[in-house]
Amino acid sequence: MELPEDCAGVLLDIDDTLIDFSEASPAALSHVLGPDADFAEWMELTERLYPQFTSGAIDYQELERRRLAALLTRMGRPVPGPPELDAVEAHRRREVESRLRLYPDVLPFLTRVRASGRRIGVLSNSDGPQQRRRIDRLGLAPWLDAVTVSGETGIAKPRREAFAVACRRLGVPAARTVHIGDSLEADALGAHGAGLGAVWLHRPHRGPTPAPPARGIAVVGTLDALV
């Protein structure tokens, strides 16, 4: 699949698009809390608390504390005080980041996009310092013209404004920008609704590649499919 000829900029999600988060994070949670720690519940708690973070009602450290406390409660374990929660969370975070790897199709794709003269940026729903640390550690920084993280802007995908901020930072209008991400709702439908080109990256570990969910949204199983 070729990117549109008039595409002047590419935005990418980070976790499970550029970085293999789906393998690293569950393994780290199990390592720290044991095999009975349910990663699906962990992600459900993250999604429940995240709007409070982006609205400014709580900071990211408080999100981490509440999420961990809630999971421990569900697991029938005692909930320690904030210092102990912070220590466990710091351990989990170190375990996650020690396991993070770029997908093998990422650097070849970035090389092709850069060679085509297009600008490259990322748009992520997460904590700013955390994502910038990962970007630096995994060698993504030299490839990026702009970094937009909802934890810094207070505006999360799939809101139209999140894409508008990212396009403005990238220096490319929405109509000439393609956004690529693994989330159907936040990335594909969000970008499409904001007037960007939309590519849903449905990697093989998630199952067979589905049909396009809406007209104007492409579906690929790998970045190798994009030229």
Side-chain angles (χ1 to χ4, degrees), residues 93-105:
R93 194 183 310 116
R94 288 192 301 271
E95 291 297 328
V96 171
E97 298 197 358
S98 71
R99 290 170 166 80
L100 290 176
R101 302 291 184 272
L102 295 179
Y103 286 103
D105 57 1

Side-chain angles (χ1 to χ4, degrees), residues 10-101:
V10 173
L11 285 173
L12 297 122
D13 176 53
I14 296 179
D15 294 334
D16 285 331
T17 297
L18 300 177
I19 294 173
D20 188 351
F21 180 78
S22 284
E23 181 173 335
S25 195
L29 188 69
S30 178
H31 178 82
V32 174
L33 295 183
D36 55 335
D38 190 326
F39 187 69
E41 289 192 352
W42 180 262
M43 292 306 297
E44 181 262 317
L45 289 166
T46 304
E47 291 173 7
R48 181 188 302 179
L49 290 164
Y50 200 77
Q52 298 178 48
F53 167 59
T54 54
S55 71
I58 60 175
D59 60 19
Y60 202 73
Q61 183 179 49
E62 183 61 22
L63 180 153
E64 292 174 331
R65 288 172 177 169
R66 293 186 185 186
R67 177 177 59 188
L68 179 56
L71 187 64
L72 290 172
T73 298
R74 291 185 183 187
M75 295 171 69
R77 298 187 187 180
V79 176
E84 292 83 2
L85 288 173
D86 291 346
V88 173
E89 176 57 27
H91 182 195
R92 185 200 67 85
R93 194 183 310 116
R94 288 192 301 271
E95 291 297 328
V96 171
E97 298 197 358
S98 71
R99 290 170 166 80
L100 290 176
R101 302 291 184 272

Side-chain angles (χ1 to χ4, degrees), residues 19 102 106-107 110 132-144:
I19 294 173
L102 295 179
V106 170
L107 293 182
L110 296 177
R132 290 180 183 274
R133 185 171 61 249
R134 292 175 179 177
I135 286 168
D136 288 340
R137 192 177 73 78
L138 293 173
L140 288 170
W143 296 97
L144 302 178

